[in-house]
Each structure stands twice: as structure tokens, then as C-alpha cells.
Amino acid sequence: MDFNKPNPEFTPGQNPNYPPDSNYPPGGYNPRAGVLSVKDWMITLLLLAIPVVNIVMLFVWAFGNSAPLSKSNYAKAALLWAAIWIVLYIIFFAIFGAAFFATMSRMDQGGY
């Protein structure tokens, strides 16, 4: 088949330069794979700067089906980083809290 000539066997709305089973574009069309503009990212960052709204929107973008793929992946990564930091804070406060309370109990017993 010559791809430089229009294909007479195409249906309306189909690109006549590609056969019906060519799987073009590769992997099929994904409407969520669009590129976000600078304006879209500015609005995204503005929403993420608002307390409480940021957490809600991260969950909406990460697990909803309406956000573009790049924003969805960004939201998932941000939630993973937040979970990592929360775990590190809990470990930090558990270690230093235990050390603090051990020191305070020694002071109550007249150790200092």
C-alpha cells in the first residue's frame, strides 16, 4: 500500500493516509496525555499553596480520571513524598520524645 496516496477505503473522520489497522499514533490516542500550558501549571501551583485545598486537590488529581496524565503523576509523586516525610517525622519525634521523657524521669528521681 502506498501511504503517499489517499486510501480510498477510509471511513469519515479517519486519516486517509493511514490504513485502518495501522494503530496510529503508536499506543492509540490518550486524551489525558496532553501537555499542560504554563497557565495550567500556575493555577495548579496556586491551588497547592492553599492549606487543606492542596491535599484535597492532590487526591483528586492523583486518583481521578479527569486530570491530564502529567498532573496525575505529579500529584501521586507529591503524595508519596508527603507520606515519606510524615513517617520520618513520626520516627524523629518518637526517638527524641523518648529521650526527652527518659531525661525528665531521671530529673524527677534526683539524678541531676
Side-chain angles (χ1 to χ4, degrees):
M1 173 178 277
D2 185 10
F3 292 113
N4 293 326
K5 294 180 185 177
N7 184 355
E9 301 173 0
F10 75 96
T11 57
Q14 179 187 1
N15 189 337
N17 294 323
Y18 294 94
D21 59 349
S22 70
N23 196 22
Y24 181 83
Y29 175 71
N30 184 356
R32 292 184 59 210
V35 177
L36 289 168
S37 67
V38 173
K39 179 184 87 172
D40 292 334
W41 280 114
M42 293 293 290
I43 293 170
T44 299
L45 294 175
L46 177 68
L47 288 172
L48 292 178
I50 302 171
V52 179
V53 173
N54 54 8
I55 296 171
V56 171
M57 292 309 296
L58 282 175
F59 278 102
V60 168
W61 292 329
F63 304 112
N65 291 328
S66 61
L69 195 56
S70 60
K71 189 184 283 189
S72 177
N73 287 337
Y74 174 79
K76 289 173 187 173
L79 288 171
L80 280 172
W81 276 115
I84 290 168
W85 281 111
I86 288 170
V87 168
L88 290 175
Y89 280 135
I90 290 171
I91 292 170
F92 176 82
F93 284 113
I95 290 171
F96 286 101
F100 176 76
F101 286 118
T103 303
M104 292 310 246
S105 69
R106 274 215 238 141
M107 289 180 79
D108 286 343
Q109 296 170 358
Y112 288 101

